[in-house]
Amino acid sequence: MWQFPVSDQVPQISGNRQACGNSFDKQQRTFIQMRTVLKVVDNSGAKKVMCIQALKGKKGARLGDTIIASVKEAMPNGKVKKGKVVYGVVVRAAMQRGRCDGSEVKFDDNAVVLVDKQGQPIGTRVFGPVPHELRQKKHVKILTLAEHIA
Amino acid sequence: MASQVLPQALHMIPRNQVQPFNPVKNRGFSAFLSRGPSPLTTSKVSVSGFHSKFPVGSSFSCFARRGFVVRAESNPEGEGEAEAEGNENGVEEPEMKAKAEAEVEGEGEGEDEAEEEKPKEPRKPRIKLGDIMGILNKRAIEASDKERPTPDLRTGDIVEIKLEVPENRRRLSVYKGIVISKQNAGIHTTIRIRRIIAGIGVEIVFPVYSPNIKEIKVVKHRKVRRARLYYLRDKLPRLSTFK
């Protein structure tokens, strides 16, 4: 089985970073950690959340992980209000995630779906593509609500 | 001096290079020696055409001491020839095979076969250490090509990939998009496909020779003047959309 070594400390190893002309103004894609602002892609009412804790992982959360976040921006009438502390599942990450067959997937933005403590999504719809890594993480409900599974 | 002993069960295949013992001596000497605890039994010993120089007496006495069985094959198993090589100390060495070259003489055929060695094979070219990975990669690629031929892929191709996902066993996932880069690494040659899915750009890296990929098809080609199209990430989504 091909195991593509995914290491994020060194820019050289991940993908084709080296091929960029000037890598100083290009941000190296890294984990989702404290102070990372993510987009909310369900209809729970929140628009933007800021991560305050990655539940698993010393360096930060990746695609498919759960985080604790604080709502920074919300719709006026929604299930969650601004300033609320919520749990979320990362459904899109700008950092590539390796799969067991040697392929990798990365998205253009960071997005999260708000869930409750048990892992059930608060909203009733999910927008945009989601990866099928969620199936392995037992977030089947989110997969069924998704528009497109990448 | 005891002749080299050959296990009876083996055919006479000279492993090492046969060294001519002495062309004169071995002519006409045919003996298959088998080692074993059996008492000395000599049957059908034909020593016709024996050269006088060969130290018969001493050999036989050696044989008698060791209890070797001296047996001349009437029906040779093959054209195997083994050369009898003197073993000075007479130590039994089971590992030493087929150093002996003895002529096979048919029963009643008195022809003298000049002792021949097996025709020397042309020397195989030595495989250098640096080439090994290249050879292994080529072999692996050929093996994967046999199962599924891989088309020639270049940056700028718009391809459609049918992938078998172990979790989604019902049907194959289809990925369409433009190849924005190709990394050549032997069997782990990968291509990066970019596409706008549901409003969000997605880039997926596929190993080209993966057995999970059931089909790769080049649908179109876009003229690009670069080997890596990372500029597409900053451009309008319209440029990365493929129906």
Side-chain angles (χ1 to χ4, degrees), chain A residues 5-60:
Chain A
V6 186
S7 136
D8 312 278
Q9 306 285 9
V10 185
Q12 283 83 8
I13 297 184
S14 59
N16 326 325
R17 295 280 157 230
Q18 279 300 85
C20 305
N22 27 355
S23 38
F24 294 112
D25 46 7
K26 288 259 186 288
Q27 187 189 355
Q28 176 64 21
R29 312 301 194 193
T30 51
F31 298 88
I32 293 175
Q33 46 194 323
M34 201 189 296
R35 302 288 281 183
T36 304
V37 175
L38 301 109
K39 204 161 70 167
V40 175
V41 289
D42 56 6
N43 57 354
S44 58
K47 282 286 166 210
K48 287 226 185 311
V49 296
M50 179 184 289
C51 171
I52 53 184
Q53 185 68 257
L55 284 178
K56 260 192 182 226
K58 208 161 55 163
K59 300 190 206 139

Side-chain angles (χ1 to χ4, degrees), chain B residues 10-11 54 57 59-60 68 73 78 82 124 146 161 200 226 238:
Chain B
L10 286 187
H11 290 262
F54 195 86
S59 323
F60 279 147
F68 288 157
E73 294 288 330
K124 293 197 195 112
K146 247 194 310 189
I161 295 189
I200 307 290
R226 237 145 218 78
R238 175 170 61 88

Side-chain angles (χ1 to χ4, degrees), chain A residues 1-141:
Chain A
M1 275 286 141
W2 298 293
Q3 276 293 327
F4 199 90
V6 186
S7 136
D8 312 278
Q9 306 285 9
V10 185
Q12 283 83 8
I13 297 184
S14 59
N16 326 325
R17 295 280 157 230
Q18 279 300 85
C20 305
N22 27 355
S23 38
F24 294 112
D25 46 7
K26 288 259 186 288
Q27 187 189 355
Q28 176 64 21
R29 312 301 194 193
T30 51
F31 298 88
I32 293 175
Q33 46 194 323
M34 201 189 296
R35 302 288 281 183
T36 304
V37 175
L38 301 109
K39 204 161 70 167
V40 175
V41 289
D42 56 6
N43 57 354
S44 58
K47 282 286 166 210
K48 287 226 185 311
V49 296
M50 179 184 289
C51 171
I52 53 184
Q53 185 68 257
L55 284 178
K56 260 192 182 226
K58 208 161 55 163
K59 300 190 206 139
R62 308 164 71 148
L63 196 59
D65 293 341
T66 324
I67 62 169
I68 305 182
S70 152
V71 178
K72 291 294 177 193
E73 193 186 306
M75 295 267 279
N77 339 316
K79 293 187 197 128
V80 293
K81 297 269 181 281
K82 180 166 162 232
K84 186 156 183 274
V85 172
V86 286
Y87 284 77
V89 169
V90 180
V91 296
R92 293 203 285 272
M95 190 171 94
Q96 62 267 16
R97 174 110 194 177
R99 296 192 172 154
C100 58
D101 62 350
S103 56
E104 290 183 348
V105 64
K106 80 189 267 281
F107 297 86
D108 272 2
D109 63 346
N110 299 316
V112 76
V113 165
L114 302 187
V115 293
D116 58 11
K117 270 233 177 67
Q118 276 71 41
Q120 304 304 311
I122 300 177
T124 55
R125 288 179 65 190
V126 170
F127 305 108
V130 297
H132 51 192
E133 266 84 357
L134 298 180
R135 198 187 301 266
Q136 214 181 11
K137 309 269 184 182
K138 307 283 187 279
H139 295 124
V140 190
K141 197 85 197 308

